[in-house]
Amino acid sequence: MYRISVTSLEVFRRFRDKHSIWDTEERLLNVLAGIKEPNAYAAIGSCFHKIVETGKATYVGRGIFEQEQDGVIVRLNSKAVENAIFYRNKFPDAQHEVHGGKDYHSSHFDIHVHGYADLKYAKVIRDIKTKYSTPHTEDYTKSCQWTFYLDIFDCSVFYFDLFQFEGYKRNMLTDVTSTAFIPYEPIECVRTDLSEEYNQNIVEDFCKYIHTNNLYRLLKTKEELYQL
């Protein structure tokens, strides 16, 4: 059986719905092919996630902390680190980086949809998003990430927890020590009776896109995933 991540399905949804000028077919194909370019945004986000997960960062003096992830070092100020640890401590019973998946059927082929929940407890999923400009609520409420995660993990409520590094400039690369750190109110998304149909429609459209364009070569298998 083929597999696809929820993250990739969201990239497809944004392309399908013409969400923005940045959501091109080229970007979708690069994601499906696993082509990744060095990305400071992703590195900062990964390191912030790691501090939430472990509750630790290395203090290097003058109110500056460092966190390494996949060979990349991110420098953060004390406010960002304190907020990450405070956030972690708010949910002491949460599991971190929980993997889950579910098989879906389409008229073209079956596919396994999977993903990692940042935090999971009771019937709740929380997802951390690090931002570098003012976020827009609609970008999250229209996302299929929360609908698939609630289905995959059989949960009822999903929260997007947004944190902005205000004043970030591209020339800062992975040094965000001079930015202001802004935590936002969580965006709550609740599972409804329509969520399952919504997910199924996206699966059907994605599988049709793969089949019509003969892009099976870009898909990996479920069996490979669970052999790792």
Side-chain angles (χ1 to χ4, degrees), residues 70-106:
D70 298 328
V72 178
I73 295 176
V74 172
R75 291 165 59 86
L76 307 103
N77 58 39
S78 58
K79 185 174 181 181
V81 172
E82 287 166 4
N83 272 270
I85 295 174
F86 175 77
Y87 176 85
R88 170 188 170 83
N89 292 338
K90 281 173 63 177
F91 311 106
D93 298 326
Q95 298 172 276
H96 295 257
E97 293 296 312
V98 184
H99 185 255
K102 181 177 177 179
D103 297 343
Y104 290 83
H105 175 75
S106 84

Side-chain angles (χ1 to χ4, degrees), residues 131-134 164-172 175-176 178-182:
K131 305 301 297 180
Y132 308 90
S133 60
T134 304
Q164 182 186 351
F165 291 94
E166 187 183 43
Y168 177 83
K169 306 295 182 184
R170 287 184 180 273
N171 62 3
M172 295 177 180
D175 186 336
V176 289
S178 64
T179 62
F181 186 83
I182 304 176

Side-chain angles (χ1 to χ4, degrees), residues 146-158:
W146 68 269
T147 57
F148 274 105
Y149 273 37
L150 291 181
D151 190 23
I152 288 170
F153 293 99
D154 191 24
C155 288
S156 304
V157 184
F158 185 110

Side-chain angles (χ1 to χ4, degrees), residues 43-80:
I44 296 165
S46 294
C47 286
F48 186 81
H49 277 70
K50 196 67 176 179
I51 297 170
V52 171
E53 183 182 355
T54 64
K56 298 176 182 178
T58 301
Y59 183 65
V60 296
R62 297 185 179 182
I64 296 173
F65 292 79
E66 290 185 348
Q67 177 66 41
E68 182 178 352
Q69 182 78 2
D70 298 328
V72 178
I73 295 176
V74 172
R75 291 165 59 86
L76 307 103
N77 58 39
S78 58
K79 185 174 181 181

